């Protein structure tokens, strides 16, 4: 029904103005998506737009993993939490940005002033059992939110823990030679266009760009299958770009991509949300094992749901390799794509 956040925004504002008060108070994005007959991801992106435009309020919440009691907490970027004791059942638990945390949205008072009837706890409890929560980590995979977070950074030495994420590193094969052969201005224009294509593939696969590193890109995804899909699409986009610009042979732009899944921490570094930990190091280094139009998946990434099935559409082989900083050899899977774009 909706192809963009722009189209959905008008429907969201109408919903905020006309819906039952209880449905626009601490509402989960999946709940609002259901009401609007819209995709959940697109609804989340639209809610981020509405947040920045002052039409909704963002709430930060924790759900006890034992008794499932939900409690509102301060902005986790202002006051990061790592360990908590549930006020309802006294169970201690660790706080992960992708597990115990969640975000909900309410209509902003300047758009519509709600009465006390909106805070119907029994009603909201029933809705929470019906609709899936959106974690803080999922919110951090929305590009516009990540860009906004530059203005709301985690304080120095503060961090949020993530139990499992998928990190993605790409690099241009032969980029040094590209500059040497074509000269800096022309080569740089090609590299900039390649960044746009890579970012498009990442966004379409429900991921977000973390940062650009030289001629490469670091990205984050909630699901590994999304990361693999983004890698496949990015390679195809570049193949089509090469054809459209008559780039052949050694002049072709080709990506080397590495994907790994595991725990990480997120921090603010150089005015952006960044990731640190062993998972980051491995993801970065396995990308060096790839050649042009190859995607290297670690065993941990390959074992995630839907990955093997998607990879099986291409040429796949398993191998072992040592990587810098890791004592034991790493088992990995190489996914090779044909030289022409699958479009």
């Amino acid at each position: 029904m909706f192809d963009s956040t722009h189209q959905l925004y008008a429907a969201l504002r109408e919903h905020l103005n006309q819906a039952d008060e209880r449905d626009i108070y601490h509402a989960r994005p999946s709940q609002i998506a259901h009401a609007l007959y819209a995709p959940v991801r697109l609804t989340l992106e639209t809610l981020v737009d509405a947040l920045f435009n002052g039409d909704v309020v963002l709430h930060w919440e924790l759900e006890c993993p034992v008794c499932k009691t939900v409690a509102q907490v301060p902005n986790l970027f202002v006051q990061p939490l790592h360990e908590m004791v549930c006020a309802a059942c006294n169970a201690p638990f660790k706080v992960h940005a992708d597990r115990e945390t969640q975000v909900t949205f309410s209509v902003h008072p300047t758009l519509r002033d709600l009465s006390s009837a909106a805070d119907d706890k029994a009603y909201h409890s029933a809705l929470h059992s019906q609709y899936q929560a959106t974690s803080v980590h999922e919110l951090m995979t929305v590009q516009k939110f990540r860009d906004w977070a530059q203005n709301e950074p985690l304080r120095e030495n503060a961090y949020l823990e993530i139990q499992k994420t998928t990190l993605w590193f790409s690099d241009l094969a032969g980029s040094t030679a590209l500059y040497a052969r074509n000269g800096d201005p022309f080569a740089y224009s090609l590299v900039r266009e390649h960044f746009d294509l890579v970012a498009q593939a990442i966004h379409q696969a429900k991921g977000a760009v973390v940062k650009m590193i030289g001629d490469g890109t670091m990205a984050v995804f909630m699901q590994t299958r999304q990361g693999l899909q983004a890698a496949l699409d990015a390679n195809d986009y570049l193949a089509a770009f090469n054809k459209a610009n008559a780039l052949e042979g050694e002049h072709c732009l080709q990506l080397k991509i590495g994907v790994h899944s595991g725990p990480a921490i997120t921090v603010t570094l150089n005015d952006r949300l960044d990731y640190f930990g062993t998972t980051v190091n491995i993801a970065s280094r396995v990308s060096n094992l790839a050649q042009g139009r190859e995607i290297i998946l670690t065993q941990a990434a390959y074992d995630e749901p839907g990955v093997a099935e998607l990879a099986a559409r291409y040429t796949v082989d398993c191998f072992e390799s040592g990587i810098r900083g890791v004592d034991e050899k790493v088992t990995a899977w190489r996914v090779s794509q044909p030289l022409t774009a699958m479009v």
Side-chain angles (χ1 to χ4, degrees), residues 72-106:
Q72 188 167 348
V73 294
N75 183 331
L76 293 178
F77 284 85
V78 175
Q79 186 177 328
L81 301 174
H82 303 293
E83 295 185 357
M84 292 289 292
V85 175
C86 176
C89 70
N90 291 321
F93 61 92
K94 292 193 69 174
V95 177
H96 300 95
D98 59 325
R99 290 288 191 264
E100 294 76 21
T101 68
Q102 61 185 47
V103 293
T104 58
F105 295 85
S106 297

Side-chain angles (χ1 to χ4, degrees), residues 76-80 82 152-159 267-268:
L76 293 178
F77 284 85
V78 175
Q79 186 177 328
H82 303 293
E152 295 288 334
L154 287 160
R155 67 177 185 274
E156 187 177 2
N157 298 323
Y159 62 92
V267 301
T268 296

Side-chain angles (χ1 to χ4, degrees), residues 4-198:
S4 68
T5 56
H6 179 74
Q7 292 176 330
L8 185 53
Y9 201 110
L12 173 62
R13 279 184 59 93
E14 182 178 359
H15 178 70
L16 294 172
N17 278 303
Q18 298 182 5
D20 186 308
E21 288 185 305
R22 298 173 297 178
D23 290 328
I24 51 175
Y25 181 75
H26 285 260
R28 289 179 170 179
S30 56
Q31 172 193 340
I32 296 175
H34 182 264
L36 298 177
Y37 301 97
V40 175
R41 179 68 178 198
L42 188 62
T43 300
L44 178 59
E45 293 173 354
T46 305
L47 284 165
V48 171
D49 282 339
L51 173 66
F52 300 156
N53 291 336
D55 288 334
V56 297
V57 177
L58 172 66
H59 306 288
W60 307 78
E61 300 175 349
L62 287 183
E63 182 177 85
C64 172
V66 178
C67 70
K68 305 303 180 183
T69 296
V70 176
Q72 188 167 348
V73 294
N75 183 331
L76 293 178
F77 284 85
V78 175
Q79 186 177 328
L81 301 174
H82 303 293
E83 295 185 357
M84 292 289 292
V85 175
C86 176
C89 70
N90 291 321
F93 61 92
K94 292 193 69 174
V95 177
H96 300 95
D98 59 325
R99 290 288 191 264
E100 294 76 21
T101 68
Q102 61 185 47
V103 293
T104 58
F105 295 85
S106 297
V107 63
H108 197 283
T110 57
L111 184 63
R112 181 178 175 185
D113 193 17
L114 301 180
S115 71
S116 60
D119 189 12
D120 186 331
K121 291 181 172 52
Y123 185 80
H124 291 136
S125 178
L127 287 177
H128 283 184
S129 65
Q130 183 178 356
Y131 295 104
Q132 184 175 355
T134 294
S135 70
V136 169
H137 179 42
E138 184 171 358
L139 181 65
M140 290 192 294
T141 66
V142 175
Q143 194 68 55
K144 289 182 180 179
F145 181 83
R146 293 191 67 84
D147 295 343
W148 168 83
Q150 297 178 18
N151 300 317
E152 295 288 334
L154 287 160
R155 67 177 185 274
E156 187 177 2
N157 298 323
Y159 62 92
L160 296 174
E161 293 186 64
I162 301 168
Q163 196 169 64
K164 181 183 287 186
T165 189
T166 293
L167 295 172
W168 189 98
F169 283 83
S170 72
D171 195 13
L172 271 178
S175 59
T176 301
L178 176 71
Y179 280 93
R181 288 191 303 267
N182 298 286
D184 290 350
F186 179 70
Y188 179 63
S189 69
L190 294 179
V191 170
R192 287 193 62 181
E193 289 187 73
H194 126 272
F195 278 135
D196 291 339
L197 295 172
V198 170

